[in-house]
Structure formats: structure tokens, C-alpha cells
Amino acid sequence: MPDGQGQVASKADLLLIHANELVTIAGKGRQPVTGNALADPVIIKDGAMAVKDGLISAVGSTDDILRQYAPGADTVVVNALGKTVIPGFVDPHTHAVYAGSREAELAKKLSGVSYLDILKQGGGILSTVKATRAASAQELYRQSRARIRRMIAHGTTTVEIKSGYGLNDVDEMKQLQVANRLAQMEPINVVNTFMAAHAWPEEFRDNHEGYVRLIISMIPEVAALGTVRYCDVFFEEGVFDVAQSRRILQAAKICGLTPKVHADEINDLGGAALAAEIGAVSAEHLLKAGDDGLRKMAAAGTVAVLLPGTAFSLMTGAYARARDMIAMGVPVALATDCNPGSSPTEAMPMVLNLAAFAMRMTPSEALIAATLNAAHAVGLADRVGSLEPGKQADFVVLDMPNHLHLFYHFGTNPVEKVFFKGAQVCHNVNIFGEESSC
């Protein structure tokens, strides 16, 4: 149909209009956002967006978009009046494929038993390894799918999933195959990471060299799947040391897998520096990372993936030094670390609350860290993480008048609707009795 100037308006499959705030995080370039640029999430008042074939066609004010795009008979129109619209959350560090749970460990933690002591007692990761090995692929898929759907209900549209609860060739592959199935069956982008270097399995408790060799022997088969992008190592006291971590990650690079590192979570052993040295896309946790390692990460452009939910759950009293990292120019991202022991949550909104209250990140810093910077941490920033033409139409409608409420109003799920590739995939229940369709 012609517009007021006689031009023919373009067609769209979906038009989102009248968002009180459309938080685009647009125009940030091809590198992770650092420093002062984190203060500007790029907000359009009375914002609108046009979507065609699952991709964003245009973003602007409602008046501008409606001049360019006329609703047709088949156009879905989403009126976001009074709402805030943000990019779908990107959760760049999870262990979401596992069997069982570890609620019994909570009493031990509350009585002061440390994470590493629980691991030495046969609990922790090793407890989940037993349950995951015992589960069939179908049962593992069933339990993991429930977690993925809770993630989607809390606004996550992209998730990284690590293996690491198999700790042998058969069960590590089972985890990766379940993650692949989730990617095929659920409305969410899934990025796979191989992490057999997560703990020492019982059968290799006294033969660490043998297990390192087994991991390295598994890497070519994992890479041949074509669906695994990263290789991660738990570099920490009592787990994998610097020499073992370097050997595994170098072997992964040879086979085309990009390194990631669980670094300096419990002790400062130089994990941040190792991540920068070996060309890791990200170093994750970093509660104890020192200034030297952080400066090296800043110089290398290595993303710091911070996991405040883990610090909260472990009750260590220490959180990652987000303010120092931002001041140093380190790219900062946020993630849930969804796992059965140290961070049993799927809720990115809670992670943002903790980022603000426990790490003193501002709302704009935390929002960019949980979207565009998180997308950089999993290599998908060209597709997701911001609302810009050409990117995938993954976005969330928040039942809030502005993005500040996402941080101010904690303890609830603010997500009203979730869209994946331009299709609505979740509508959460609210106090007026609307039924959830997640």
C-alpha cells in the first residue's frame, strides 16, 4: 500500500510497535564493548521493529517504522505499549546437560565445608558424573530440556552448554549429542563446548597423566562432530594445572576448537594470563584474578565471563571485581553457570540483579554484558546480542516501563514474551491469569 508520499511500503512478517523503551545495543562495532561505551545501551523511545524471515529488517521510532512498513493481512503486530523490549539474553557459560541434583550438599556448604573439600569427599562434580553416566540419553535429554525451557521463560534465547559430567569418551559424547538434540528441538541457539577437563574421574584418580592423554585422544572425534565450537578446562588447584591445561587447549586448537578457561575461581593461579596467552575467547569465573592477568586479558581482548550466581551460592563473600575489570578495559560478560552444585539456576534476570547489587555494575553495563558481550564470548555477536538490521530477531518483551526496573525490582520474572527468530515462543503467566505458552 502507498504511504503518504506515494511510495509503496515494505512488507514485514512481524511489526513490534510502541515499546516504551526499545533497548537496541546497536552500533557498537565488531568488538566486545568496553569501558565508557558500556554506559550507552542505545534506547529508542516509542520504539518499533520490523521482522522478515526471522531477521530484523529495520529498527526505529514507531512513526518511522510504520511509514516504511504497512501491516498486511498476515503480519503479526505486537503492541508493546508501556513495555520494555531488549535483545534475548545470551547465557555464555552453563553446564545445563546433566542428570540428578545435589541439594543434599547445601547443608554441608552452610556448615562451612568448602567446594574443593566436597569434591574430595566424592561429592560435587563426581556425584553428578555418576548420575549422568547412569542416565540414558533419553532421560538426560528429558531432564535437560526442562532446564532449557526455564531458561527461555526467563528470556534466554542463546545458551552455551559444556560437557564435563561424563569424563569418559562414551558419556562425554552422550552429553554433546543431547546438547545437539536440544538445539534441534528447542527454540534457542545452542553453542557446544567440550569440557572433559572438568575433574579427575574416579578411575583416573591416581593416574592424572593417563586422563590428560585420554582427553587429548578424544578431541579429534569431538571436532569431527562439526557442532562443537569450544574446548574448556577447569584450571584450578586440585584439578588441572597450567601444563596440563596448556597441553589440552593446544591440542584443541590444532583440531579447530577455540579455547575457553575456567580461571582463578578459588585461587589466583594465573588462569587469566593463560587464557590471554593461549588465545582463549573467554576466561570464566575470575573471582581471584590478579591485576597482571586482567591487564593481559584486556590487551588480548579476552572476554571475562562473570558468574555472580556461583559466588552467591558458594557463599564465599567474594565476587569478581567487575568495576576494576571495566576500568582496565576488559570486556565483561555475564552468565548463570547453570549447574547442579554451585549455581542451580536458569534465571538470567537474577544474574543481572546480582551483577548490580553485588558487583556494582550499572544497569546499562550489566545489560550489555548479558547480551552483546555475552554473544562475543560464544562467537555469535554477528547474529545475536543486539537489535540491528540483519541480525536474528531474538528479543524479549519485559512487563516493565524501562530497563532500570529489571534491576530495581528483583525476585520476580519480568519476562512477558519471548521471540526467537521472529516467532513468539513464550508468554508467561501473570497475576491476571493469562496462561503460559512456554
Side-chain angles (χ1 to χ4, degrees), residues 212-272:
V212 170
R213 289 180 179 177
L214 176 62
I215 293 171
I216 291 172
S217 74
M218 293 167 60
I219 289 172
E221 182 181 4
V222 168
L225 290 172
T227 55
V228 179
R229 181 175 289 212
Y230 298 105
C231 178
D232 201 343
V233 173
F234 191 2
F235 175 35
E236 185 56 72
E237 182 179 324
V239 198
F240 295 83
D241 64 26
V242 65
Q244 293 160 343
S245 299
R246 185 180 284 111
R247 283 172 60 195
I248 292 167
L249 294 174
Q250 286 175 340
K253 287 179 72 173
I254 290 170
C255 290
L257 302 183
T258 301
K260 285 177 170 281
V261 182
H262 275 53
D264 303 332
E265 176 183 5
I266 302 167
N267 302 283
D268 181 7
L269 300 179

Side-chain angles (χ1 to χ4, degrees), residues 99 131-143 174 178:
T132 302
R133 286 181 175 181
S136 67
Q138 179 59 28
E139 177 59 19
L140 189 58
Y141 171 75
R142 186 191 68 79
Q143 293 187 35
K174 179 172 70 176
V178 167

Side-chain angles (χ1 to χ4, degrees), residues 20-362:
N20 195 56
E21 282 191 353
L22 182 65
V23 185
T24 68
I25 313 180
K28 296 296 183 180
R30 297 185 178 182
Q31 300 301 318
V33 186
T34 59
N36 293 335
L38 285 165
D40 180 16
V42 189
I43 296 170
I44 301 173
K45 294 287 190 179
D46 191 24
M49 186 164 53
V51 175
K52 180 72 175 176
D53 297 328
L55 301 178
I56 298 170
S57 300
V59 176
S61 70
T62 296
D63 285 346
D64 287 344
I65 294 301
L66 289 179
R67 274 194 293 269
Q68 299 174 57
Y69 295 86
D74 298 325
T75 304
V76 175
V77 178
V78 179
N79 191 332
L81 186 66
K83 314 291 184 180
T84 297
V85 178
I86 63 173
F89 292 124
V90 178
D91 192 346
H93 179 129
T94 85
H95 303 262
V97 172
Y98 63 84
S101 62
R102 305 209 308 256
E103 68 277 7
E105 292 178 9
L106 178 58
K108 290 184 179 181
K109 289 193 293 183
L110 291 171
S111 67
V113 182
S114 74
Y115 177 83
L116 290 180
D117 284 340
I118 290 173
L119 182 62
K120 290 174 184 176
Q121 294 169 11
I125 293 169
L126 296 180
S127 174
T128 301
V129 169
K130 291 177 184 176
T132 302
R133 286 181 175 181
S136 67
Q138 179 59 28
E139 177 59 19
L140 189 58
Y141 171 75
R142 186 191 68 79
Q143 293 187 35
S144 303
R145 179 182 61 182
R147 293 180 206 108
I148 293 299
R149 291 186 174 181
R150 284 193 290 272
M151 288 181 176
I152 294 169
H154 285 84
T156 297
T157 54
T158 298
V159 61
E160 184 252 21
I161 301 177
K162 304 177 192 292
S163 68
Y165 293 127
L167 306 189
N168 62 34
D169 51 357
V170 172
D171 293 297
E172 286 290 306
M173 291 297 287
K174 179 172 70 176
Q175 277 192 275
L176 293 171
Q177 288 162 356
V178 167
N180 289 341
R181 186 178 173 195
L182 289 167
Q184 294 164 5
M185 302 299 293
E186 300 301 314
I188 193 168
N189 305 301
V190 175
V191 177
N192 285 342
T193 296
F194 173 60
M195 197 181 173
H198 197 195
W200 302 114
E202 290 283 1
E203 60 269 29
F204 285 94
R205 180 169 47 187
D206 300 318
N207 182 14
H208 292 178
E209 174 61 22
Y211 188 55
V212 170
R213 289 180 179 177
L214 176 62
I215 293 171
I216 291 172
S217 74
M218 293 167 60
I219 289 172
E221 182 181 4
V222 168
L225 290 172
T227 55
V228 179
R229 181 175 289 212
Y230 298 105
C231 178
D232 201 343
V233 173
F234 191 2
F235 175 35
E236 185 56 72
E237 182 179 324
V239 198
F240 295 83
D241 64 26
V242 65
Q244 293 160 343
S245 299
R246 185 180 284 111
R247 283 172 60 195
I248 292 167
L249 294 174
Q250 286 175 340
K253 287 179 72 173
I254 290 170
C255 290
L257 302 183
T258 301
K260 285 177 170 281
V261 182
H262 275 53
D264 303 332
E265 176 183 5
I266 302 167
N267 302 283
D268 181 7
L269 300 179
L274 173 66
E277 170 206 325
I278 205 156
V281 67
S282 62
E284 324 204 340
H285 285 289
L286 298 169
L287 273 70
K288 302 295 184 178
D291 288 355
D292 180 64
L294 293 176
R295 281 191 287 266
K296 289 177 178 176
M297 285 180 57
T302 308
V303 180
V305 178
L306 308 185
L307 312 166
T310 308
F312 174 79
S313 177
L314 292 179
M315 298 173 290
T316 62
Y319 286 79
R321 295 186 294 137
R323 290 257 53 89
D324 291 341
M325 294 179 193
I326 292 168
M328 290 180 182
V330 179
V332 171
L334 292 168
T336 62
D337 192 17
C338 172
N339 74 75
S342 61
S343 190
T345 184
E346 299 90 0
M348 282 295 284
M350 179 180 178
V351 169
L352 270 68
N353 293 150
L354 289 172
F357 287 102
M359 299 195 301
R360 300 294 191 267
M361 294 180 71
T362 68

